């Protein structure tokens, strides 16, 4: 039976992992499993930008996938970037196996606001569904409430849900 | 346009930039490709169609500015966005001057990137729509709209073709409803001025004062109620065509003003003193006998000669009856599309009735008859029963009718012919407007 692997990257047994797993299983109808992969985070560090390359993390994440891995989602709390953009919340292979999301800009603390753990987990679930959606071949969706709606600011993430809209569900055979 | 219909080409010598941009755009569903230097980008541009090109300024070999110049030579409407890691104002200004849509200083905020690409896509769509409109206009051969195969209409088309490419002043003559405005559009649409506006003004629809304001525009405070400066039709027609419909209806003062404008192409707005220059071609149209008006002294002879440099006379429909089936089918197809009705044929009996009728309102009347028939058509064919208009056949084929019925039909025909203009209809019928209003009420007639 194939699975979606959830891989915390240098995170010690986060308490929210169970909620995230349940959300992903419910959304995609596929069993999810938490496990750890050896990821060399410093290798993805760019000292000039003081950020981590999401592409380099993704490369390591998908280098040796388990035989039963349908998808692999890495979760990190470092600040991610791709070369052309100042930051990204995550990166995914379109119609591929791997995706990575970052908690860094999902935390209220980053914006100088009081910490809100529940809100952060909500955001993480939305972005995880978003990036995994891309690995199933989904493009950005025009529906505001859909998890695949493109979010460039954290406020955008707060506007959408962690659910896929009927069109996106239909597109990946979940309808 | 769906994102998949938009092609984005990324040109950068840095693989990581190419890859990250490529992935970013693919998630939005765009068609994306990359090139690592100018020459291969140009090859891709020759081989395939691209809407937006993001190009790095600093590249080995051909730099971004040179690449942009070459791209614009291939297709000036391709939207180019230049990228640079170094915020050089000079190169950015240079790129913008040479037609870049915008520039990016790397790295860019994701939200800014999203906005930039959405704007670029919108800009490209507008350019494409403009191009399509221009092509439609250019391809709007008169045979499309001016329907007919009779000798009379062929001669009209030949004269349109002769004069369109010149800048001559044209006068179009013909009864109401014969398609004078269509001919004017065909001349404009096939002229070198076709990318600029054709401004139409119905001279018969305004009082002299209003017509003056419409044509020349006015300055703020030029007259009571002139709250703002307003451009006139003459200014709006700059580089294009000014179509003066019903030119025979303008008064003496306006005739003199118009003559002055035609000769100098200069005018001032009402209440203003600044001379405004405009370059426009004049096409005028009339259903009046202008020569008679000149003889009677109600129309200036010098203006008549200035307007009547090249003349096209449209035949009335009754003189080109062989075109009626073609025109009827043309309108039937047009209304079938717009009304979304599956009416595809006209019965021979219906065509026979249409051919026997005299059509005083010409093509406009035929168009209205077909439209009404289409509305009422109960099958896929227009049958005589669908023709709600009370036809009275041509002379020589008169049915037994009461005097009242003949009068009713005649008034209706004249009203159709004048497009519902009661004053004109009353003048033609040689009765007062009041009498005409009484008859319209008595016979429950429709205006137009």
């Amino acid at each position: 039976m194939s699975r979606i692997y959830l891989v915390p990257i240098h995170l010690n047994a986060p308490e929210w992992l169970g909620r995230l797993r349940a959300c992903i299983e419910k959304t995609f109808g596929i069993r999810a499993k938490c496990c750890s992969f050896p990821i060399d985070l410093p290798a993805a560090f760019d000292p000039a930008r003081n950020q981590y390359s999401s592409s380099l993390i993704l490369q390591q994440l998908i280098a040796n996938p388990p035989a039963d891995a349908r998808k692999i989602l890495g979760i990190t709390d470092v600040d991610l970037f791709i070369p052309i953009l100042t930051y990204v919340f995550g990166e995914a292979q379109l119609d591929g196996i791997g995706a990575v999301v970052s908690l860094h800009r999902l935390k209220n603390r980053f914006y100088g606001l009081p910490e809100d753990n529940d809100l952060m987990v909500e955001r993480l679930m939305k972005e995880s569904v978003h990036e995994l959606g891309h690995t199933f071949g989904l493009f950005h969706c025009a529906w505001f409430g859909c998890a695949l709606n493109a979010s460039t600011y954290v406020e955008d993430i707060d506007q959408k849900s962690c659910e896929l809209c009927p069109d996106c569900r239909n597109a990946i055979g979940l309808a | 346009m769906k994102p998949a219909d938009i092609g984005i080409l990324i040109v950068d010598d840095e693989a990581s930039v190419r890859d990250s941009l490529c992935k970013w755009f693919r998630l939005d569903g765009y068609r994306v490709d990359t090139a690592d230097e100018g020459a291969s980008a140009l090859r891709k541009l020759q081989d395939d169609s691209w809407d937006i090109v993001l190009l790095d300024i600093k590249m080995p070999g051909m730099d971004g500015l040179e690449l942009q110049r070459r791209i614009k030579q291939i297709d000036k409407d391709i939207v180019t966005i230049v990228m640079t890691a170094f915020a050089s104002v000079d190169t950015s200004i240079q790129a913008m001057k040479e037609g870049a849509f915008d520039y990016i200083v790397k790295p860019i905020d994701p939200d800014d990137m999203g906005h930039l690409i959405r704007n670029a896509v919108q800009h490209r769509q507008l350019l494409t729509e403009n191009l399509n409109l221009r092509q439609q206009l250019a391809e709007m051969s008169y045979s499309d709209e001016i329907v007919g195969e009779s000798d009379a209409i062929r001669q009209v088309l030949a004269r349109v073709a002769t004069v369109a490419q010149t800048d001559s002043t044209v006068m179009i003559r013909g009864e109401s409803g014969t398609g004078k405005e269509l001919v004017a559009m065909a001349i404009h649409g096939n002229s070198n001025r076709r990318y600029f506006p054709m401004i139409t003004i119905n001279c018969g629809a305004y009082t002299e004062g209003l017509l003056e304001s419409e044509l020349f525009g006015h300055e703020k405070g030029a007259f009571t109620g002139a709250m703002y400066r307003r451009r006139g039709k003459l200014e709006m027609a700059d580089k294009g065509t000014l179509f003066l419909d019903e030119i025979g209806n303008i008064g003496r003062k306006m005739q003199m003003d118009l003559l002055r404008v035609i000769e100098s192409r200069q005018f001032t707005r009402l209440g203003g003193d600044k001379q405004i220059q405009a370059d426009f071609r004049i096409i005028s149209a009339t259903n009046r006998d202008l020569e008679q008006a000149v003889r009677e002294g109600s129309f200036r002879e010098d203006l008549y000669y200035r307007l009547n440099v090249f003349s096209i006379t449209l035949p009335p429909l009754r003189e080109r009856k062989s075109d009626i089936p073609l025109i009827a089918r043309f309108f039937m197809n047009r209304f079938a599309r717009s009304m979304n009705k599956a009416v595809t044929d006209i019965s021979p009996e219906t065509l026979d009735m249409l051919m026997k009728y005299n059509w005083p309102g010409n093509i406009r009347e035929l168009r209205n008859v077909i439209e009404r028939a289409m509305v009422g058509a109960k099958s896929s064919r227009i049958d005589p029963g669908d023709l709600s208009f009370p036809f009275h056949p041509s002379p020589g084929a008169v049915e037994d009718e009461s005097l009242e019925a003949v009068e009713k039909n005649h008034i209706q025909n004249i009203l159709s012919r004048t497009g519902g203009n009661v004053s004109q209809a009353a003048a033609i019928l040689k009765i007062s407007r009041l009498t005409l209003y009484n008859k319209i009420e008595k016979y429950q007639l429709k205006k137009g």
Side-chain angles (χ1 to χ4, degrees):
Chain A
M1 189 172 59
S2 64
R3 293 170 189 278
I4 295 175
Y5 277 86
L6 306 181
V7 184
I9 300 169
H10 295 222
L11 298 172
N12 290 327
E15 79 288 356
W16 39 255
L17 208 51
R19 278 179 71 191
L20 178 62
R21 193 183 67 196
C23 167
I24 285 167
E25 285 184 345
K26 180 172 169 260
T27 305
F28 294 102
I30 298 169
R31 294 298 297 271
K33 183 181 178 182
C34 305
C35 72
S36 62
F37 283 14
I39 303 289
D40 180 4
L41 209 47
F45 185 65
D46 184 327
R49 296 184 55 144
N50 199 25
Q51 287 176 305
Y52 291 79
S53 163
S54 55
S55 305
L56 293 180
I57 294 173
L58 197 51
Q59 271 178 28
Q60 293 187 53
L61 205 56
I62 60 171
N64 295 298
D68 62 346
R70 180 92 178 265
K71 306 289 176 192
I72 303 170
L73 174 71
I75 306 135
T76 179
D77 67 355
V78 297
D79 196 15
L80 300 178
F81 78 96
I82 60 172
I84 191 66
L85 298 179
T86 49
Y87 68 89
V88 288
F89 291 124
E91 186 182 338
Q93 291 178 295
L94 186 62
D95 216 4
I97 189 172
V100 59
V101 290
S102 165
L103 287 163
H104 191 79
R105 290 173 189 254
L106 304 183
K107 293 174 181 170
N108 267 1
R109 197 175 55 206
F110 181 83
Y111 304 96
L113 298 170
E115 200 59 276
D116 183 337
N117 200 53
D118 270 353
L119 184 60
M120 183 205 74
V121 178
E122 284 281 321
R123 290 168 177 166
L124 175 65
M125 291 194 296
K126 292 172 186 179
E127 282 312 278
S128 298
V129 171
H130 180 102
E131 298 301 347
L132 281 171
H134 285 318
T135 66
F136 282 96
L138 292 176
F139 297 123
H140 285 147
C141 175
W143 284 49
F144 281 111
C146 178
L148 259 290
N149 190 249
S151 313
T152 49
Y153 290 138
V154 76
E155 292 86 347
D156 302 330
I157 300 174
D158 291 341
Q159 295 304 312
K160 63 185 183 184
S161 74
C162 58
E163 309 270 324
L164 297 175
C165 70
D167 285 352
C168 288
R169 288 177 62 78
N170 195 36
I172 58 174
L174 292 171
Chain B
M1 225 181 208
K2 293 183 213 146
D5 299 328
I6 306 277
I8 302 178
L9 182 64
I10 300 151
V11 193
D12 199 310
D13 57 325
E14 246 184 283
S16 61
V17 171
R18 287 197 308 272
D19 294 346
S20 60
L21 270 173
C22 192
K23 281 181 188 168
W24 175 259
F25 291 133
R26 278 197 178 134
L27 295 181
D28 276 329
Y30 295 114
R31 178 170 60 91
V32 194
D33 200 356
T34 60
D36 58 1
E37 39 92 38
S40 63
L42 288 172
R43 277 197 298 279
K44 285 181 190 259
L45 282 157
Q46 307 273 12
D47 293 345
D48 208 342
S49 71
W50 299 97
D51 302 286
I52 299 168
V53 181
L54 281 98
L55 48 96
D56 193 18
I57 290 267
K58 213 171 174 190
M59 287 188 290
M62 190 189 307
D63 72 3
L65 289 177
E66 177 57 23
L67 176 59
Q68 180 177 254
R69 276 176 218 126
R70 302 263 194 106
I71 291 171
K72 296 288 177 186
Q73 281 168 6
I74 295 170
D75 180 352
K76 67 177 172 47
D77 287 342
I78 290 177
V79 176
T80 51
I81 297 171
V82 294
M83 303 185 286
T84 177
F86 314 95
S88 159
V89 176
D90 284 351
T91 45
S92 305
I93 290 175
Q94 183 68 22
M96 298 292 281
K97 270 187 180 169
E98 293 185 17
F101 176 73
D102 213 332
Y103 66 92
I104 292 172
V105 178
K106 293 185 272 189
I108 183 171
D109 188 89
D111 200 50
D112 292 341
M113 177 67 101
H115 279 303
L116 177 61
I117 292 303
R118 277 194 294 277
N119 289 343
V121 167
Q122 205 172 28
H123 182 68
R124 172 65 176 172
Q125 281 172 336
L126 282 175
L127 290 174
T128 309
E129 279 169 25
N130 269 352
L131 190 71
N132 290 342
L133 283 173
R134 282 182 196 175
Q135 276 171 355
Q136 277 174 21
L137 205 58
E139 287 162 10
M140 190 206 73
S141 66
Y142 8 93
S143 57
D144 259 8
E145 289 286 320
I146 305 170
V147 183
E149 288 176 355
S150 59
D151 284 346
I153 211 67
R154 278 176 198 275
Q155 280 174 26
V156 168
L157 294 176
R159 286 189 69 75
V160 168
T162 305
V163 79
Q165 292 286 317
T166 73
D167 231 1
S168 288
T169 302
V170 181
M171 181 176 280
I172 306 165
R173 326 284 292 261
E175 292 178 10
S176 284
T178 46
K180 294 190 286 296
E181 185 164 1
L182 270 184
V183 169
M185 283 166 67
I187 294 171
H188 174 75
N190 289 279
S191 74
N192 296 328
R193 294 172 178 270
R194 62 181 174 272
Y195 300 142
F196 297 96
M198 178 177 125
I199 303 291
T200 298
I201 184 157
N202 185 341
C203 302
Y206 298 94
T207 60
E208 186 144 288
L210 267 179
L211 181 61
E212 220 179 352
S213 169
E214 280 294 310
L215 274 176
F216 299 103
H218 59 251
E219 295 291 341
K220 183 181 173 184
F223 48 82
T224 313
M227 309 273 281
Y228 301 100
R229 168 186 287 175
R230 186 162 179 248
R231 290 166 76 224
K233 304 271 190 193
L234 296 177
E235 272 182 88
M236 289 160 67
D238 190 27
K239 296 189 174 60
T241 302
L242 180 70
F243 177 50
L244 301 166
D245 203 1
E246 295 191 36
I247 189 73
N249 292 14
I250 62 172
R252 292 289 290 180
K253 182 178 177 302
M254 181 52 72
Q255 289 175 29
M256 199 169 68
D257 291 344
L258 207 51
L259 183 67
R260 202 175 299 131
V261 170
I262 292 171
E263 285 181 346
S264 66
R265 293 294 196 268
Q266 279 191 343
F267 56 92
T268 54
R269 294 194 195 107
L270 299 187
D273 49 15
K274 190 180 144 202
Q275 284 283 336
I276 298 167
Q277 189 91 34
D279 162 33
F280 47 82
R281 175 192 204 166
I282 290 184
I283 301 177
S284 58
T286 185
N287 56 7
R288 281 189 66 189
D289 183 349
L290 277 193
E291 290 78 3
Q292 175 72 15
V294 168
R295 278 195 296 277
E296 289 168 355
S298 61
F299 202 87
R300 288 181 69 108
E301 190 174 10
D302 41 9
L303 179 61
Y304 168 77
Y305 285 116
R306 293 294 280 135
L307 293 174
N308 195 29
V309 175
F310 190 92
S311 171
I312 297 176
T313 303
L314 294 183
L317 191 53
R318 62 183 171 278
E319 287 176 18
R320 44 180 288 226
K321 281 197 165 177
S322 60
D323 287 334
I324 287 175
L326 213 57
I327 300 169
R329 287 204 167 89
F330 173 81
F331 287 130
M332 181 190 72
N333 290 333
R334 174 181 282 186
F335 290 125
R337 274 197 304 276
S338 65
M339 294 176 186
N340 202 16
K341 280 190 93 163
V343 180
T344 53
D345 204 4
I346 301 178
S347 69
E349 299 79 22
T350 312
L351 280 178
D352 192 46
M353 282 181 74
L354 297 177
M355 295 285 277
K356 277 182 180 161
Y357 183 56
N358 206 31
W359 299 108
N362 291 298
I363 298 170
R364 186 184 295 140
E365 188 183 4
L366 175 55
R367 179 186 188 277
N368 293 347
V369 165
I370 297 294
E371 185 174 4
R372 276 187 224 131
M374 290 288 291
V375 170
K378 289 159 201 73
S379 68
S380 64
R381 196 172 73 159
I382 299 177
D383 289 313
D386 299 321
L387 300 178
S388 57
F389 190 80
F391 284 99
H392 75 94
S394 311
V398 179
E399 305 289 339
D400 293 340
E401 277 184 297
S402 70
L403 191 58
E404 270 203 341
V406 172
E407 182 181 63
K408 179 182 172 186
N409 285 337
H410 184 58
I411 295 173
Q412 181 65 76
N413 289 339
I414 298 298
L415 281 169
S416 302
R417 190 169 143 187
T418 59
N421 186 322
V422 175
S423 300
Q424 274 186 30
I428 293 168
L429 293 164
K430 292 193 170 52
I431 56 175
S432 72
R433 289 172 73 241
L434 186 64
T435 309
L436 181 53
Y437 273 119
N438 287 336
K439 288 186 187 293
I440 289 171
E441 203 179 320
K442 178 182 170 189
Y443 296 129
Q444 298 283 297
L445 297 174
K446 290 171 191 162
K447 289 189 204 169

